[in-house]
């Protein structure tokens, strides 16, 4: 009987395609938008992920997130190092400045200053040269995405990516690109410059305090949360494990911006539109086929059989629509030059699939109601 | 089939419509009974009650010894699926299915495997002379051919009772005669009973008995010859 149900559905091509396309676009929005949102959220704590070696992040108590830090005096570094259980602690600068490119253009960039000795905080993957080259005179590294886009240099032959050997001007000081690194893009999508902590002080001569964070490695066997609490109580600073800092950054970002509202509204609207369109079309489709359901009922098909027939129709529509929608979302997410990026997680797929399934099940329920209430004697009426 | 004291009332109180007013009727095995009468006399209501797809307000209808009015919805549906075949005025073939698939529907409702159902459906189509049309869509068949497909569908699961609602009214005379010849030939074999609702006096001769209805009552039951000379059904055609 399922085969008959599916043939009935596929024979009504217009309504079938209408329902599938409606669910496909609903699925597209319900998976693509959360995936983009997840990608944006990831960017807010990208630096924490990039510096995975640090167990604990120490910061000024007024710092809210990795994007919004408050500089501390260097003396705080010694305080942190003196807490028992700390294997090592290094400074990290996170700030921003303006950079003049070789073609004379000025671009706002993020600046990461890493410990001169250990280079902890520098990106792990360098596309050209080695991170150790940061110790060279005037050396900076740039992130690959920034080098290829915002920092691209205008030449007589057009634009070219900023590359090794290019000279920059930072606060009237010369800087030379010694490497191009892979790094997680930041929320602001700024190009990132990496240099040593001591060179940050040269670039920011007017600033007395440039230490944004102290990165701490716990001694083996130390409980990270316990050590963080100890650091906080002994130094008066805020100390968080990497996981806690990531969560705090995320929460701060969600609270401070209305982005979740924007994405939520779009997703809700797509759900409502998908539900209304699919519901109406499925209802109309069943209305068209009501006489045939009546014939089946008269011939002895019981309510359970008819219910399963309609459910199988609904599931085919849902499956096809969801598959098409997710397929379109994946194509969009893999388009070259996509500035937003996507993180299409199994959770997003499950929630999107659940939403589409609920739309079709509610639509099917309305149709099932019509069929179950149907008086089979209608088959004897013209 | 034995119907006793069948009453069917639609609505309540002063606005109630009495479609059946105490119908007593018996149909024997192997018999072809026609129900005739003017429009609105209760023929369709009676055939619906006889087929177990409409509950009477009062009275009983026993088919093969089973009181249909005493059965709950699900067992009644199962009883219909096994024992009753249907032929409709408008054929009611599913346009999404081929002729053979349409014919196989009663078997599939009874739970037959698809392959077996299709094999038997093709045999039934062969029986009604449409062995070469198994893959045709209903829309590609003439009216007479569609009605023959509908007859094959009514026969395929070998029911004990076939109910037909105006099986020839949408057909021209020649096709109507062919359809009735077919129904007479294959519809009453093996003790199967056939109940046909019709207005068409030209097919009366195919019946064994004719029951005339008027205003919800059976006014006369007799032979085809008697019915042809009666003013009731003849004037309605």
């Amino acid at each position: 009987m399922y085969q008959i149900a599916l043939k009935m559905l596929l024979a009504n091509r217009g309504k079938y395609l209408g329902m599938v396309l409606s669910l496909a676009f609903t699925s597209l929005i319900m998976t693509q938008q959360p995936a983009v949102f997840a990608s944006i959220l990831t960017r807010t704590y990208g630096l924490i992920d990039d510096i995975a070696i640090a167990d604990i992040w120490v910061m000024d108590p007024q710092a809210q997130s990795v994007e919004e830090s408050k500089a501390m005096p260097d003396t705080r570094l010694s305080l942190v190092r003196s807490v028992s259980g700390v294997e090592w602690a290094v400074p990290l600068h996170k700030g921003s400045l303006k950079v003049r490119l070789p073609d004379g253009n000025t671009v706002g960039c993020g600046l990461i200053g890493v410990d001169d000795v250990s280079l902890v905080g520098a990106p792990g993957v360098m596309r050209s040269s080695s991170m150790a080259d940061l110790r060279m005179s005037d050396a900076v590294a740039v992130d690959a995405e920034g080098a290829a886009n915002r920092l691209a240099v205008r030449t007589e032959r057009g634009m070219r990516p900023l590359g090794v050997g290019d000279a920059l001007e930072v606060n009237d000081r010369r800087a030379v690109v010694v490497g191009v690194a892979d790094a997680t893009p930041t929320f602001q999508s700024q190009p990132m410059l990496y240099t040593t902590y001591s060179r940050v002080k040269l670039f920011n001569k007017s600033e007395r305090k440039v230490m944004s964070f102290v990165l701490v490695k716990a001694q083996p066997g130390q409980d990270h949360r316990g050590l963080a609490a100890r650091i906080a109580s002994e130094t008066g600073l805020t100390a968080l494990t990497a996981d806690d800092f990531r969560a705090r950054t995320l929460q701060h970002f969600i609270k401070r911006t209305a982005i979740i509202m924007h994405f939520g509204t779009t997703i809700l609207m797509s759900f409502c539109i998908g539900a209304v369109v699919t519901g109406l079309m499925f209802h109309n489709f069943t209305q068209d086929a009501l006489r045939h359901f009546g014939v089946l009922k008269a011939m002895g098909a019981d309510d359970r059989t008819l219910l399963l027939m309609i459910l199988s129709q609904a599931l085919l529509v849902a499956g096809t629509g969801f598959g098409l929608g997710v397929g379109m979302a994946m194509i969009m997410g893999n388009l070259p030059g996509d500035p937003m990026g996507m993180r299409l997680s199994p959770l997003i797929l499950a929630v999107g699939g659940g939403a589409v399934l609920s739309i079709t099940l509610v639509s099917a329920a309305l149709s099932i109601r019509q069929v179950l209430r149907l008086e089979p004697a209608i088959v004897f009426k013209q | 089939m034995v119907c006793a004291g069948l009453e069917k009332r639609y609505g309540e109180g002063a606005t109630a419509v009495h479609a059946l007013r105490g119908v007593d009727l018996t149909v024997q095995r192997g018999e072809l009974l026609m129900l005739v009468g003017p429009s609105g006399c209760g023929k369709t209501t009676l055939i619906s009650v006889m087929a177990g797809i409409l509950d009477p307000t009062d009275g009983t209808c026993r088919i093969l010894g089973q009181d249909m009015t005493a059965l709950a919805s699900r067992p009644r549906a199962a009883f219909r699926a096994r024992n009753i075949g249907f032929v409709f005025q408008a054929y009611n073939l599913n346009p999404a299915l081929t002729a053979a698939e349409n014919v196989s529907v009663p078997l599939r409702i009874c739970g037959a495997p698809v392959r077996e159902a299709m094999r038997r459906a093709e045999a039934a189509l062969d029986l009604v002379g449409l062995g070469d049309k198994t893959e045709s869509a209903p829309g590609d068949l003439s009216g007479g051919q569609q009605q023959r497909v509908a007859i094959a569908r009514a026969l395929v699961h070998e029911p004990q009772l076939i109910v037909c609602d105006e099986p020839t009214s949408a057909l021209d005379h020649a096709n109507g005669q062919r359809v009735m010849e077919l129904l007479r030939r294959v519809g009453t074999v093996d003790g199967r009973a056939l109940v046909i609702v019709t207005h068409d006096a030209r097919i009366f001769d195919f019946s064994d008995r004719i029951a005339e209805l008027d205003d919800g009552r059976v006014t006369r039951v007799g032979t085809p010859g008697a019915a042809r000379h009666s003013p009731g059904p003849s004037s309605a055609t």
Side-chain angles (χ1 to χ4, degrees), chain A residues 5 17 84 109 115 127 131 136 153-154 162 164 167 194 204 222 228 244 255 268 279 288 306 329 343 371:
Chain A
L17 282 179
S84 69
C109 293
D115 179 45
R127 287 194 185 176
M131 195 45 79
M136 292 163 63
V153 181
R154 182 173 288 113
L162 188 70
V164 173
Y194 297 86
N204 292 290
Q222 283 287 329
D244 290 345
K255 269 188 206 159
L268 187 67
D288 290 350
L306 297 174
R343 285 177 76 92
V371 172

Side-chain angles (χ1 to χ4, degrees), chain A residues 3 7 291 297-299, chain B residues 80-81 92 101 108 153:
Chain A
Q3 195 190 4
K7 281 200 160 192
R291 190 168 187 88
K297 214 168 177 178
M299 286 178 175
Chain B
R80 280 201 307 271
N92 282 337
E101 285 168 337
R108 296 207 205 180
R153 182 178 63 182

